[in-house]
Amino acid sequence: MTAFDFAPLFARDLPPAAGRWTGFAEHNFVGGHNDPEGIPVEALVEAATRQLRAKGRELAIYTLDGGPQGLRELREVVARKLTEDRGAPTDADQVLITSGSLQGMDLVFSLLVEPGDTVIVEEHTYGGTLSRLRRRGAKVVGAPLDEHGLRIDALERLLDDMAAKGVRPKFIYTIPTVQNPTGSVLPVDRREALLDLARRHGVPVFEDECYADLVFGEDWPPALRGMEGGDAVIHIGSFSKTLAPALRLGYLVADWPVLSRLLPLKTDAGTGAIEQLVVADYFGSRFHEHVAALKPRLAAKLDVMVEAVEREFGTAAEFTRPEGGIFFWMRLPGVDTSKLYAAAKAGGVDFNPGAEWSTSPQARDCLRLCFALPSEEQIRAGVARLAEICRRETGIPAVSANVRHAPAT
Amino acid sequence: MTAFDFAPLFARDLPPAAGRWTGFAEHNFVGGHNDPEGIPVEALVEAATRQLRAKGRELAIYTLDGGPQGLRELREVVARKLTEDRGAPTDADQVLITSGSLQGMDLVFSLLVEPGDTVIVEEHTYGGTLSRLRRRGAKVVGAPLDEHGLRIDALERLLDDMAAKGVRPKFIYTIPTVQNPTGSVLPVDRREALLDLARRHGVPVFEDECYADLVFGEDWPPALRGMEGGDAVIHIGSFSKTLAPALRLGYLVADWPVLSRLLPLKTDAGTGAIEQLVVADYFGSRFHEHVAALKPRLAAKLDVMVEAVEREFGTAAEFTRPEGGIFFWMRLPGVDTSKLYAAAKAGGVDFNPGAEWSTSPQARDCLRLCFALPSEEQIRAGVARLAEICRRETGIPAVSANVRHAPAT
């Protein structure tokens, strides 16, 4: 008997089938992995032990006693962080714990986006945002960026043009603090101008602060959510980038008129409680200490990445040094990075091609490298390997590591 | 300045707004909570400590090294359980770890259900299945049950009628082993007949084994997935009912032509890794021991529930003793349990009204009580309170605890 054929029963417009998982590349610059040496293993053991002994029996109860918004103690950690660090006075009742910030994103999109709706994003932005919005049938419009983030003048023209056509976008999605992929931090005056624009046009702001705790320098502007006009902001954040991506813990902050409509869309009976307990315990007392230790580790890796790219790609690479986070965004003029991707992967180097991280066709010569996971030695070796493959495939860079290569044939 | 008004931007057809969480009722018979005394706290501490020390640093990597299907060790636990306990030879490559079995359900519905599609469910079934399917615009048709589960004769007529009208249902959703809410176990001959029917009509089976490990007696038929025709079965299960609901860990088992289309729909970057590690460790060695200890605890609570209902409701209550699990499904002829619900809740008793757990209007006099969470003393007190409220509101039961009450005025 032949196997049952499900295919005729599939819904229309499914994404393409997945391939089999074959493991990570030797040189893994893809995605948003973090620094393994930054995981506080013994502190997590202590937190898990303490919390399981104190509350283990309550695991018999869905969401413990936190209700559908998630563990109260973790919501209080988030509220304190927003209030004290991000300039956004927040109560635990305004916080929803999510299974990664991605769940928060899915919820907000379910709340606001229908097919045909217009949404404004940053020209270069998180690829998962683009794929989600497109799958929902939204018209995704990219607003231009410069080295400091959103260009307010260009955004204003965009909103005015839309208003003239009678189009009210559903929201402006922004990653203002350590932008993904560019690593910029939006200055305070632009934040004020953005919120003013949003208010005047009746367009809310969807603020993604996934990386916001990882600003390397001293200048750390407040979250949009905390500023004048912040009532028009839905805010999401994550513990993936500060603690560990494999934990899948994020949060969403909004006022009750929004939260009360989001909650019924969250039908998963909560987020895993052991992880909520562990993170609430550890970050409840050691958040600042942890982040203060992590940032110089990441900044040191970034230094190595910059040196390696300058050495291996020379003038063939254009980039702006990111102000924090875990990503290095670079342009290789003349290189189609989506084509380079396959050759690089075959050669053991994995990265994110720019075309998947941008609304702009010009980004096809860009790529994103995550520098948090590999060791400094691995960064050097991986960038050298990438440059070697790129030169072989495209003739670029013609000069690397002070060696002029023959043009590719 | 007034707060920003999001309402005009909301998508159409959202579910109603949530109310504020006000905590659990004094007598909590609602949902699928479990027995707090059954949580193996110290074993979980040991598992967490061992796994964090062995693999803690890998938390820096999304999904550790398990890829998008989830932690390899946990998938192997599931594969062994299906193979050895459920008569369904399974490889870890056929297993997808999900954030609760609910995520598996959402994925399968996304894969197969479009507005207007017909889906067959059991007449009385999990309320979350009904609400999800209806929200997707499916036509949900209930197939009649008796005390052993699906009535094959009635299902055959249903399928024949649909075929005559040119309707091919997308699947038959069944909870064959400890049915929710009725607690029945489908006999082997009916399983064979169900799979034969499904095959002849080209309709796959969506098998939900959330409670299947909690059969109290000796007769434990194999999973549909393991039987002749099981290639037409997509199977989900959960660790919520055997270990702890607050963990949010489930699994889905299917062949690659289905899995490869489900995986791109799972956009959450994985399920929390600490919980996967802890459960893989604990259930990797102690699954049978754990379940063997849990079942008699639950069976003893069921005994108390049955006694309490017989004592407090007398002949006013009709029920079939469930063959396992955590739910007691009863009928109170003449009582609209959706109306009783509000009065009971105000009186400190929470339960699931039958109308939400059934496609049949006749179920409005049914209700579901979860007996796993309350202590034996709490079960007795809660059922007595419920009977008292019910008598006050409806005059039923007229006789309880050997006391004849005056008819309600």
Side-chain angles (χ1 to χ4, degrees):
Chain A
M1 207 186 310
T2 56
F4 186 88
D5 182 15
F6 282 82
L9 299 164
F10 288 158
R12 287 156 296 179
D13 303 324
L14 292 180
R20 296 269 190 190
W21 168 248
T22 55
F24 290 115
E26 180 187 351
H27 299 286
N28 186 356
F29 295 118
V30 84
H33 307 298
N34 216 314
D35 185 349
E37 303 301 318
I39 307 289
V41 171
E42 280 307 312
L44 296 181
V45 167
E46 285 164 30
T49 301
R50 187 163 42 233
Q51 291 297 319
L52 283 169
R53 289 204 172 126
K55 303 212 167 184
R57 298 219 179 278
E58 291 179 43
L59 295 174
I61 301 171
Y62 280 97
T63 76
L64 306 181
D65 55 357
Q69 286 176 243
L71 191 73
R72 183 89 202 171
E73 293 88 328
L74 187 57
R75 285 190 279 133
E76 281 164 2
V77 168
V78 172
R80 205 156 60 233
K81 173 168 131 59
L82 270 280
T83 303
E84 294 174 8
D85 296 347
R86 308 300 302 127
T90 301
D91 186 89
D93 286 340
Q94 296 170 304
V95 178
L96 170 65
I97 301 300
T98 56
S99 299
S101 64
L102 295 181
Q103 188 184 36
M105 188 177 288
D106 281 335
L107 290 170
V108 171
F109 292 172
S110 294
L111 181 75
L112 295 172
V113 182
E114 294 180 281
D117 281 349
T118 296
V119 168
I120 297 176
V121 302
E122 291 159 333
E123 175 187 16
H124 311 311
T125 191
Y126 170 55
T129 302
L130 294 173
S131 57
R132 280 172 168 76
L133 287 170
R134 286 172 179 153
R135 193 158 151 63
R136 287 178 183 273
K139 291 177 195 156
V140 183
V141 180
L145 298 171
D146 63 18
E147 71 272 27
H148 300 298
L150 269 177
R151 280 180 44 203
I152 300 300
D153 57 336
L155 178 64
E156 181 163 21
R157 271 198 303 278
L158 202 57
L159 285 164
D160 286 345
D161 285 354
M162 287 179 177
K165 291 177 192 154
V167 172
R168 183 183 179 188
K170 282 300 181 87
F171 52 81
I172 301 163
Y173 171 79
T174 177
I175 313 170
T177 315
V178 188
Q179 209 267 346
N180 178 2
T182 63
S184 64
V185 175
L186 195 72
V188 168
D189 58 340
R190 291 203 196 180
R191 289 174 192 244
E192 289 166 352
L194 167 60
L195 288 169
D196 182 57
L197 265 183
R199 163 75 61 172
R200 280 197 282 121
H201 283 271
V203 178
V205 174
F206 183 15
E207 175 179 46
D208 184 347
E209 277 223 334
C210 260
Y211 307 91
D213 299 307
L214 301 178
V215 173
F216 296 156
E218 293 300 309
D219 189 22
W220 196 25
L224 294 166
R225 169 81 190 163
M227 300 175 67
E228 171 93 33
D231 56 294
V233 176
I234 301 175
H235 177 105
I236 58 173
S238 176
F239 298 110
S240 290
K241 312 307 174 180
T242 41
L243 186 51
L247 290 189
R248 313 317 305 132
L249 268 187
Y251 50 84
L252 183 150
V253 178
D255 297 320
W256 186 245
V258 168
L259 266 191
S260 65
R261 303 309 294 261
L262 283 172
L263 281 171
L265 302 173
K266 186 170 183 294
T267 57
D268 62 356
T271 293
I274 293 183
E275 305 201 343
Q276 291 190 71
L277 288 165
V278 168
V279 174
D281 184 290
Y282 177 64
F283 271 172
S285 60
R286 295 170 73 175
F287 179 71
H288 293 115
E289 173 193 341
H290 177 88
V291 171
L294 178 62
K295 288 199 291 185
R297 303 185 62 86
L298 295 175
K301 287 191 175 187
L302 171 60
D303 285 342
V304 173
M305 173 64 82
V306 168
E307 285 165 22
V309 167
E310 288 181 333
R311 181 170 58 248
E312 304 294 343
F313 284 92
T315 55
E318 297 173 1
F319 61 88
T320 301
R321 188 186 169 89
E323 297 185 54
I326 58 178
F327 298 125
F328 184 80
W329 176 251
M330 64 191 266
R331 169 162 281 148
L332 292 172
V335 175
D336 183 334
T337 58
S338 297
K339 289 185 186 161
L340 176 62
Y341 173 77
K345 192 116 190 228
V349 186
D350 203 2
F351 64 81
N352 291 104
E356 296 173 12
W357 247 252
S358 182
T359 61
S360 162
Q362 276 86 52
R364 66 169 177 266
D365 61 5
C366 293
L367 71 162
R368 195 190 73 169
L369 301 170
C370 173
F371 55 79
L373 173 64
S375 67
E376 298 188 358
E377 199 44 58
Q378 288 169 327
I379 292 172
R380 290 186 195 100
V383 171
R385 175 84 65 89
L386 179 62
E388 181 191 316
I389 294 167
C390 189
R391 191 180 57 74
R392 190 186 71 212
E393 297 290 317
T394 69
I396 295 169
V399 181
S400 67
N402 294 328
V403 177
R404 172 167 296 278
H405 301 279
T409 53
Chain B
M1 205 183 311
T2 56
F4 186 88
D5 182 14
F6 282 82
L9 299 165
F10 289 159
R12 285 158 297 179
D13 303 325
L14 292 180
R20 296 269 189 191
W21 169 248
T22 55
F24 290 116
E26 180 187 352
H27 299 284
N28 186 357
F29 295 118
V30 84
H33 307 297
N34 217 315
D35 186 348
E37 303 302 318
I39 306 290
V41 171
E42 279 307 312
L44 295 181
V45 167
E46 286 165 28
T49 301
R50 187 163 41 232
Q51 292 296 320
L52 283 169
R53 289 204 171 126
K55 305 214 165 182
R57 299 219 180 279
E58 291 179 43
L59 296 174
I61 302 172
Y62 278 98
T63 76
L64 305 184
D65 55 358
Q69 286 176 242
L71 191 74
R72 182 90 202 172
E73 294 87 328
L74 186 57
R75 286 191 278 134
E76 280 165 1
V77 168
V78 172
R80 205 157 58 234
K81 173 167 132 60
L82 270 280
T83 303
E84 293 173 9
D85 296 348
R86 307 301 302 128
T90 301
D91 186 90
D93 286 339
Q94 296 170 304
V95 178
L96 171 66
I97 301 301
T98 56
S99 299
S101 64
L102 294 180
Q103 187 184 36
M105 188 177 289
D106 281 336
L107 290 171
V108 171
F109 292 172
S110 294
L111 181 73
L112 295 172
V113 182
E114 294 179 283
D117 281 348
T118 296
V119 167
I120 298 176
V121 302
E122 291 160 334
E123 176 186 14
H124 311 311
T125 192
Y126 170 55
T129 302
L130 295 174
S131 57
R132 281 171 168 76
L133 286 170
R134 286 172 180 153
R135 194 157 150 64
R136 286 177 186 273
K139 291 176 194 155
V140 183
V141 179
L145 298 171
D146 64 18
E147 70 272 27
H148 301 297
L150 270 177
R151 280 179 44 202
I152 301 300
D153 57 335
L155 178 64
E156 181 163 21
R157 271 198 302 279
L158 202 58
L159 285 165
D160 287 344
D161 285 355
M162 287 178 177
K165 290 177 192 153
V167 172
R168 183 182 179 188
K170 283 298 182 91
F171 52 81
I172 302 162
Y173 171 78
T174 176
I175 313 170
T177 314
V178 188
Q179 209 268 347
N180 179 3
T182 64
S184 64
V185 175
L186 195 71
V188 168
D189 58 340
R190 291 202 196 181
R191 289 174 192 243
E192 290 165 353
L194 167 59
L195 288 169
D196 182 58
L197 264 183
R199 162 76 60 169
R200 279 198 280 122
H201 283 270
V203 178
V205 174
F206 183 14
E207 176 180 44
D208 184 346
E209 278 223 335
C210 260
Y211 307 91
D213 299 307
L214 301 179
V215 172
F216 296 158
E218 293 300 308
D219 190 23
W220 196 24
L224 294 166
R225 169 79 190 165
M227 300 176 68
E228 171 92 33
D231 56 293
V233 177
I234 301 175
H235 177 105
I236 58 173
S238 177
F239 298 110
S240 290
K241 311 308 171 179
T242 42
L243 187 50
L247 290 189
R248 312 316 305 131
L249 268 187
Y251 51 85
L252 182 150
V253 178
D255 298 318
W256 186 246
V258 169
L259 265 191
S260 64
R261 303 309 293 264
L262 283 172
L263 281 171
L265 301 173
K266 185 171 183 294
T267 57
D268 61 355
T271 292
I274 294 183
E275 304 201 343
Q276 291 189 70
L277 288 166
V278 168
V279 174
D281 183 292
Y282 177 64
F283 271 173
S285 60
R286 295 170 72 173
F287 179 71
H288 292 115
E289 173 193 341
H290 178 88
V291 171
L294 178 61
K295 287 198 291 185
R297 302 185 65 87
L298 295 174
K301 288 191 173 185
L302 172 59
D303 285 343
V304 174
M305 173 63 81
V306 168
E307 285 165 22
V309 168
E310 287 181 334
R311 182 173 55 251
E312 303 295 343
F313 284 91
T315 55
E318 298 173 2
F319 62 89
T320 301
R321 189 187 168 88
E323 297 185 54
I326 59 179
F327 298 125
F328 184 80
W329 176 251
M330 64 190 265
R331 168 163 282 145
L332 293 172
V335 176
D336 183 334
T337 59
S338 298
K339 289 185 186 159
L340 176 62
Y341 173 78
K345 194 117 190 227
V349 186
D350 202 2
F351 63 83
N352 291 103
E356 296 172 13
W357 248 252
S358 182
T359 61
S360 163
Q362 277 86 53
R364 66 170 178 268
D365 61 6
C366 294
L367 72 162
R368 196 190 72 167
L369 302 170
C370 174
F371 55 80
L373 173 64
S375 67
E376 298 188 359
E377 198 44 57
Q378 289 169 326
I379 292 171
R380 289 186 195 100
V383 171
R385 175 85 64 89
L386 178 63
E388 181 190 317
I389 295 166
C390 188
R391 192 178 57 75
R392 188 187 71 212
E393 298 291 317
T394 70
I396 295 170
V399 182
S400 66
N402 293 328
V403 177
R404 173 167 294 278
H405 302 280
T409 52

